[in-house]
Amino acid sequence: MQDERGRILILGGTGEAMKLAAALAARPDLPALLSFAGRTKAPQLPSIPSRIGGFGGVDGLAAYLAQMQTPLVIDATHPFAAQMSQHAAQACARLGVPRLTFTRRPWTPQPGDRWIEVPDIEAAVDALGETPTHVFLTVGRLSLGAFKRAPQHSYLARSIDQPDASELPPSCRVLLARPPFALAEERALMQKERFDFLCTKNSGGAATENKLLAARELGLRVIMVNRPQAPEGETLFDLDAVLDWITAHRPPP
Ligand code: NAP
């Protein structure tokens, strides 16, 4: 515990957090620690120290930051991990700890896209309508349960981890797969399945973008769940810029 004090805290659960952890592993002058929520069944572990599990709300996180003498917090959580980001903003503001968000740029609709943008997952379920349709779900395992209230549709849910049966709507097959996905692979899957909709979250990033390119080519309608409101504060999308920010904000030795 003693040698974990004074480390930069990276809030993770994303590829961005892993990239930052790998970069900081090569920077002994910038010691860091990566925090996972503990949702992934077999997380890849970084080459810097890590911890797993919630902090216990804003108060728990503030107590942790104070106890660990955390100099900086990098919020590299998923853009849809809204609660963790709000907690980080509040705890850092309370203690005066500088905080940066490191995330991916959101996707934006391009000519030829047939997007239906919705504010949240419940609105995505509503957007499918009453008439039975065939839906490609790439919303993440933890959001699949929302579709249980639309059992008239048939679904193919792509997920990294196997969802529990209780988390799935009745007519739902599961495709276990880990990104990245090639364009040819996405196109072939969509042609084989003849989906009526692709339903996805606006996570952004290159690893899962080819599904949108394939949908555009095939004229497939996309129900796009927009990102939740992020807390105010600086956001960077580029690893080198994040490293520069850390260098500029770290406390003097
Ligand atoms: P969330 O709703 O924002 O957070 C729920 C609670 O989980 C938080 O209040 C916190 O518990 C704990 N938590 C979240 N991220 C944590 C972290 N990095 N370290 C320690 N505790 C954390 O988050 P979520 O949407 O359930 O996502 C959970 C994790 O999965 C996140 O780390 C996120 O980056 C990753 N992820 C999420 C999605 C998605 O679509 N939501 C997709 C891919 C990956 P306490 O209040 O007890 O501190």
Side-chain angles (χ1 to χ4, degrees), residues 103-122:
T103 190
R104 322 156 200 180
R105 286 181 199 285
W107 296 311
T108 51
Q110 304 298 314
D113 278 335
R114 299 177 71 198
W115 285 18
I116 301 155
E117 294 186 58
V118 293
D120 54 35
I121 201 79
E122 293 301 331

Side-chain angles (χ1 to χ4, degrees), residues 34 51 234-235:
L34 177 50
R51 64 170 297 288
E234 199 171 350
T235 297

Side-chain angles (χ1 to χ4, degrees), residues 20 100 102 234-249:
L20 177 59
L100 174 72
F102 176 29
E234 199 171 350
T235 297
L236 293 172
F237 301 104
D238 176 71
L239 177 61
D240 288 336
V242 172
L243 292 170
D244 288 346
W245 185 95
I246 290 173
T247 306
H249 289 81

Side-chain angles (χ1 to χ4, degrees), residues 71-250:
L72 306 174
V73 171
I74 310 298
D75 178 359
T77 56
H78 191 270
F80 281 81
Q83 182 168 300
M84 186 69 251
S85 292
Q86 292 294 346
H87 289 182
Q90 289 174 43
C92 287
R94 191 184 292 176
L95 298 177
V97 174
R99 174 187 57 90
L100 174 72
T101 300
F102 176 29
T103 190
R104 322 156 200 180
R105 286 181 199 285
W107 296 311
T108 51
Q110 304 298 314
D113 278 335
R114 299 177 71 198
W115 285 18
I116 301 155
E117 294 186 58
V118 293
D120 54 35
I121 201 79
E122 293 301 331
V125 179
D126 292 340
L128 293 173
E130 292 302 320
T131 310
T133 60
H134 187 37
V135 186
F136 184 22
L137 285 180
T138 65
V139 292
R141 176 172 59 95
L142 302 176
S143 298
L144 293 173
F147 293 86
K148 289 200 284 191
R149 71 172 173 85
Q152 70 275 29
H153 306 297
S154 61
Y155 301 94
L156 180 69
R158 186 162 65 191
S159 174
I160 295 176
D161 287 325
Q162 177 69 48
D164 293 336
S166 62
E167 292 174 307
L168 296 173
S171 302
C172 184
R173 287 174 294 135
V174 175
L175 175 60
L176 291 181
R178 185 178 285 276
F181 304 110
L183 177 58
E185 193 185 348
E186 299 291 47
R187 190 190 294 122
L189 178 66
M190 288 177 188
Q191 284 174 325
K192 175 168 164 262
E193 289 282 336
R194 304 173 64 85
F195 296 113
D196 298 298
F197 291 103
L198 162 64
C199 184
T200 192
K201 289 174 173 172
N202 197 338
S203 304
T208 55
E209 192 176 13
N210 280 329
K211 64 189 168 196
L212 299 177
L213 274 66
R216 187 179 308 146
E217 279 181 15
L218 299 171
L220 177 60
R221 286 172 291 174
V222 176
I223 298 175
M224 181 64 75
V225 182
N226 284 330
R227 292 182 176 191
Q229 179 83 39
E232 291 206 350
E234 199 171 350
T235 297
L236 293 172
F237 301 104
D238 176 71
L239 177 61
D240 288 336
V242 172
L243 292 170
D244 288 346
W245 185 95
I246 290 173
T247 306
H249 289 81
R250 69 175 157 177

